[in-house]
Amino acid sequence: MTETDKAREMRQSIARHLADLHRLHIALAADSRALKVLTTEGRPIAEIEIAAEMLEQYMAATAAFLENMRGRFENRLGLLRRGDPVGPDLAPGQGPLGHGPFWYAFSRLCVALRLAERRAG
């Protein structure tokens, strides 16, 4: 299996998991809409309590996931940075034509990590 095939397979696996997560979001949204029956039956406090529990648990789980992923990739930044495609006789920043895409991707990861930190915090 080539490196390109490995990367494609990993992307597809993550895409499937994100699709599963989207389906779970749709199911949670449907469940939350169904809560209104409690209020129409005269039990608004039950709807309020369940809605608060759902949101609190979802935000806690999401924050924990983001913090885990942020920590995992921040710990790897040094190793990832060493993947800079510089030539043997070149200083960092003087790499071959492929150098720009590497730093664009690295910067994109750093931005995503900062956003994850804000959302998890």
Side-chain angles (χ1 to χ4, degrees):
M1 180 179 290
T2 68
E3 293 299 315
T4 302
D5 291 338
K6 286 180 188 177
R8 184 180 313 113
E9 186 177 296
M10 289 177 183
R11 274 194 174 100
Q12 289 171 342
S13 176
I14 290 170
R16 282 190 300 274
H17 292 302
L18 289 171
D20 290 343
L21 182 61
H22 180 68
R23 283 189 283 282
L24 289 173
H25 284 154
I26 290 170
L28 282 171
D31 289 346
S32 71
R33 282 190 296 278
L35 289 175
K36 67 183 171 188
V37 72
L38 296 170
T39 297
T40 59
E41 291 175 349
R43 297 180 293 149
I45 192 164
E47 180 178 354
I48 292 166
E49 289 172 340
I50 294 169
E53 290 167 9
M54 177 189 67
L55 292 170
E56 290 166 349
Q57 290 177 28
Y58 181 85
M59 288 185 289
T62 300
F65 172 79
L66 287 173
E67 183 60 26
N68 181 287
M69 291 296 107
R70 185 187 66 79
R72 180 173 306 201
F73 288 109
E74 277 187 355
N75 285 334
R76 294 183 46 75
L77 281 179
L79 179 64
L80 293 171
R81 187 179 295 121
R82 286 193 289 275
D84 177 15
V86 297
D89 300 325
L90 299 172
Q94 300 299 312
L97 292 176
H99 182 78
F102 174 87
W103 284 106
Y104 174 78
F106 187 83
S107 296
R108 183 176 169 201
L109 174 59
C110 291
V111 168
L113 290 169
R114 283 193 299 275
L115 288 171
E117 182 176 21
R118 278 189 230 138
R119 291 188 179 165

